[in-house]
Amino acid sequence: MKTTYTPIMNADTRTGLKANPKYKDTVFSLLFNDNPEAAVEVSNTFLGTHFPAGTKVIFKTLKNVLINGRINDLAFILEGRLIILVEHQSTLNQNMPYRMLQYIAETYKNLNDKDIEYRDKKFLLQRPKFIVLYNGERKMKEDIQILRLSDMYIPASPEDGVIDLELTVKMYNITEGRNKDMVSRCATLQEYSIFIIYTQ
């Protein structure tokens, strides 16, 4: 079915108006949250998984009660074992591993009973995956960039030893014409990309 998009905010480039990047992020969140089919598509597209349609999806996107908005863009659990955090970015941000660290810590906290970490019996955590989808004006040279928390640490001295905490984020360039095969495999993301083109 053909979708008609009405250009909003910066529809007429002759005016010199520019779309608010936060608006793009909001549209992304609205399209994907509470949309199990889209969540499965994102996982299969960017993680190489093969979850079938109808896979159990539980959304765990963090919300800010005070401002009635979302803290992060998208978080969901697949089949009770994978927890996937997805962020849409209109600006290149090298600090995403640190942000994801905060998001996953808060998400785990919300998932488990209060003070469970102080009990003797070991409890199990869903395995996390971190994805950033970049669609902005600044040129991203690579189609896929790996961001690591360890790259943000103060330069090490020999006595510092091995890294005890690591977090890896994959950032995918989804600006027009980039990672086309991946974008085409996720119908909702493809619709979003078309919307962004019309509102540039």
Side-chain angles (χ1 to χ4, degrees):
M1 182 173 63
K2 186 176 181 181
T3 306
T4 302
Y5 294 91
T6 303
I8 304 171
M9 300 177 66
N10 195 32
D12 187 350
T13 55
R14 292 171 299 177
T15 64
L17 297 175
K18 290 194 173 183
N20 185 339
K22 287 291 183 184
Y23 182 77
K24 294 182 184 180
D25 300 343
T26 300
V27 172
F28 179 87
S29 294
L30 290 173
L31 281 174
F32 283 89
N33 277 283
D34 301 320
N35 186 344
E37 182 179 347
V40 172
E41 283 182 348
V42 165
S43 174
N44 290 341
T45 297
F46 295 101
L47 298 180
T49 53
H50 302 281
F51 290 102
T55 296
K56 183 179 180 181
V57 177
I58 302 174
F59 289 92
K60 291 296 178 181
T61 305
L62 299 171
K63 296 182 179 180
N64 189 327
V65 178
L66 294 179
I67 61 174
N68 195 29
R70 292 183 176 89
I71 295 175
N72 58 342
D73 290 335
L74 177 65
F76 55 92
I77 299 173
L78 283 179
E79 288 292 353
R81 69 176 191 270
L82 282 181
I83 183 163
I84 300 168
L85 276 66
V86 184
E87 289 295 301
H88 169 268
Q89 290 291 294
S90 298
T91 56
L92 287 172
N93 187 334
Q94 299 298 310
N95 300 315
M96 291 309 300
Y98 178 70
R99 284 175 55 180
M100 290 292 199
L101 178 65
Q102 295 179 81
Y103 295 154
I104 192 61
E106 188 65 23
T107 302
Y108 279 145
K109 181 179 177 181
N110 292 343
L111 282 173
N112 295 291
D113 296 336
K114 185 178 179 181
D115 298 330
I116 193 172
E117 66 269 27
Y118 297 108
R119 301 174 190 173
D120 292 338
K121 186 177 179 181
K122 179 175 68 177
F123 63 96
L124 301 179
L125 299 171
Q126 292 84 0
R127 188 181 299 270
K129 297 289 184 180
F130 306 101
I131 299 169
V132 171
L133 303 177
Y134 172 72
N135 189 340
E137 294 182 4
R138 275 186 63 189
K139 186 176 180 180
M140 178 179 164
K141 295 180 180 179
E142 307 90 348
D143 281 346
I144 303 173
Q145 184 178 353
I146 307 298
L147 305 177
R148 293 182 175 85
L149 186 66
S150 58
D151 292 336
M152 300 179 65
Y153 291 148
I154 296 170
S157 297
E159 62 270 21
D160 292 345
V162 299
I163 294 170
D164 288 337
L165 179 62
E166 183 63 287
L167 187 153
T168 303
V169 177
K170 282 191 175 182
M171 181 164 63
Y172 296 87
N173 187 352
I174 61 166
T175 52
E176 186 178 3
R178 305 297 290 270
N179 282 308
K180 289 172 64 175
D181 290 343
M182 284 187 169
V183 173
S184 66
R185 291 200 296 269
C186 183
T188 306
L189 185 59
Q190 194 169 28
E191 290 175 6
Y192 171 77
S193 298
I194 294 171
F195 171 84
I196 292 303
I197 291 171
Y198 273 90
T199 56
Q200 291 288 354

